[in-house]
Amino acid sequence: MTKGYDYIVVGGGSAGCVLANRLSANPAAQVLLVEAGARDWNPLIRVPLMAAWFMNHRFHNWSYTTEPEPGLAGRRIAWPRGRVLGGSSAINGMVYTRGNRGDYDHWAQLGLRDWSYDRVLPFFKRSENFCDGANDYHGSGGELPVTHPGTKQPLYDAFVEAGAQAGFPKNPDFNGEKQEGFGRYHFTIRNGQRWSTARSFVDPVRTRPNLTVLTGAQLLRVVIENGRATGIEVKVGNEKRTITAAREIVLSCGAITSPTALMLSGIGAADDLRSHGIDVKVDLPAVGRNLQDHLTVRVSHACEKPDALYDDRRIDRAVFNVMRNVLTKKGPASAFPLEGGAFLRSRPDVEEPDLQIHFFPGIPVTTGARIPLVKPAPGVHDGYGFTGTTCQLRPESRGDISLRSSDPLAQPVIRANYLTAQADRETLRAGAKILRDVLRQEAFASMNSHEIAPGPNINSDAELDAYIAANAGTVYHPVGTCRMGVDDASVVDGELRVRGVSGLRVSDASIMPALVSSNTNAPTIMIAEKTADYMLRT
């Protein structure tokens, strides 16, 4: 048994770092933040361009993988998740988008009235330090830098202009009054470096005497006694520790690990738990269900006019640019090449955008370091190009996460069930058609570009569906596995308290009843802000 605390936050990611900051602002409360990964000491974490490397390697990455997906030609899909203080905010693409009014008003229509757009907007603004200052939709003076991209890249301008030529509006602020249109994303980058939630929310308050940050601590289970969460068991190195919490424990482990943590603690579908030899504390079948994710498909063009990314990928230049950023915070590695974006409606009768586009200079199969004199694999384009990816924002398909065994270190079983709903196939196909049309507009004519993926031989709906099944991948936005709701079948209530257990909450993307129409980092930070508000008012 080790020292006890008032609050224990498990998971030092996008939500957990925010909670640690807010809860420890009360000097009378002893707060422990527990993270399974390492401290964020690695200077490469702060280099924006290194995000692509971290998402494709096991370093600081849980490297989860789905089961074979029937809707994706039986392929297993890699699901990177951050394994470091800062969580996925330390390895993600740093895009800052919130979703639209309809997302949160839909939550309110489900009975969660305190989660309407008007009621969550102040919590988005509370965290934010927007580069243009405060207005009706943005905050100033918060911990999280939100900035405009500064890359002088003509391909981004061409992309926005191509959207206008295809009949869509331009939008200077996807987080403003309206979401729809073509424009450039905001980023959690400042002065040429990434600002994760660890850097934004934990680093400034590390010296608080009432805040303890414990890294390298693997959660084994939440200790539940007489219907109350009283502590946690963790493994630190070869040592097992039990740490008590006098007031509350919050799981902020993410949409994959929060439900598995509940199951390992005896909260979940009773028969499933018993099959793994786990003592049932609360029979709650919804744990691990309702899994949702954004699925994306790409359209790539080769072009003759140079784009900077291809030249900068040459290994000597890539190393130089990374080191330049580490030492000076300047240079090409100071931005993440995903600045172009759009939110669109797949059909005129859709009220809010149901498609999102990410645009970048380059082609995915050639975005690794380029070694001179080494030929690419057969059929791989090695040259200049640009790519757009489109995803369906509000999928109807639902998956689940379950335990593989009672071993807390075993990877869970992840079934995303992509494209099992007919509407998802139709919407993603429509998105691919729209994107193909946009990238063929006159704005790109001076670059003498031509489509190489899907390619000129893919034209019919059946051919496009087959291309999507063979090539679509995740946008890394899993949510929903500890669903918030007003019904008894939900995992947590409207204040994120776990049903059937006192002193235990979940606060991360897993509580979303429905996936928001955007990247999920900013909404997860908002969820943590609201959780802290609930906790500090009790």
Side-chain angles (χ1 to χ4, degrees), residues 219-240:
L219 177 68
L220 302 179
R221 69 182 180 106
V222 177
V223 178
I224 300 172
E225 298 176 346
N226 300 318
R228 179 175 181 82
T230 60
I232 59 173
E233 284 187 1
V234 295
K235 186 177 182 182
V236 183
N238 293 321
E239 177 189 2
K240 182 186 291 187

Side-chain angles (χ1 to χ4, degrees), residues 286-522:
V287 174
R289 308 288 177 83
N290 193 47
L291 175 62
Q292 302 155 61
D293 185 30
H294 285 146
L295 186 70
T296 188
V297 65
R298 68 181 176 91
V299 176
S300 293
H301 277 231
C303 66
E304 293 182 359
K305 190 170 182 177
D307 68 80
L309 183 63
Y310 178 76
D311 292 330
D312 288 335
R313 282 196 306 103
R314 205 176 75 184
I315 191 165
D316 55 336
R317 295 182 182 179
V319 171
F320 173 81
N321 288 331
V322 169
M323 294 310 300
R324 180 184 176 189
N325 178 271
V326 170
L327 297 173
T328 70
K329 306 178 184 179
K330 299 183 184 299
S334 302
F336 191 63
L338 204 66
E339 297 180 12
F343 290 91
L344 310 174
R345 291 177 293 151
S346 62
R347 307 185 312 274
D349 60 322
V350 176
E351 292 186 7
E352 300 281 3
D354 60 346
L355 297 169
Q356 182 179 5
I357 294 175
H358 294 84
F359 176 87
F360 55 95
I363 298 174
V365 293
T366 61
T367 52
R370 183 165 59 92
I371 302 174
L373 305 179
V374 175
K375 294 183 179 180
V380 173
H381 173 76
D382 184 31
Y384 300 113
F386 53 85
T387 296
T389 65
T390 183
C391 75
Q392 180 197 11
L393 288 171
R394 295 184 293 278
E396 295 183 11
S397 301
R398 295 292 184 270
D400 63 81
I401 290 176
S402 59
L403 296 178
R404 196 172 299 276
S405 74
S406 60
D407 180 1
L409 301 181
Q411 288 220 350
V413 178
I414 303 172
R415 300 184 185 89
N417 292 335
Y418 293 116
L419 301 180
T420 53
Q422 176 66 24
D424 295 355
R425 297 193 290 274
E426 293 172 353
T427 302
L428 193 55
R429 184 196 313 138
K433 290 180 178 179
I434 291 171
L435 180 55
R436 295 180 90 177
D437 180 60
V438 168
L439 298 188
R440 291 168 178 163
Q441 295 297 315
E442 183 67 22
F444 291 108
S446 65
M447 300 166 193
N448 194 23
S449 69
H450 62 279
E451 185 181 287
I452 59 174
N457 296 325
I458 306 296
N459 294 296
S460 69
D461 285 354
E463 290 169 337
L464 194 53
D465 285 349
Y467 170 79
I468 291 170
N471 293 277
T474 177
V475 197
Y476 319 117
H477 298 161
V479 309
T481 49
C482 296
R483 177 178 66 86
M484 171 176 59
V486 297
D487 57 300
D488 291 339
S490 60
V491 178
V492 297
D493 66 13
E495 295 191 7
L496 309 188
R497 295 169 295 204
V498 176
R499 296 191 181 279
V501 182
S502 61
L504 181 62
R505 300 188 201 232
V506 178
S507 178
D508 53 37
S510 72
I511 65 91
M512 294 184 187
L515 184 52
V516 293
S517 305
S518 69
N519 307 74
T520 51
N521 191 52

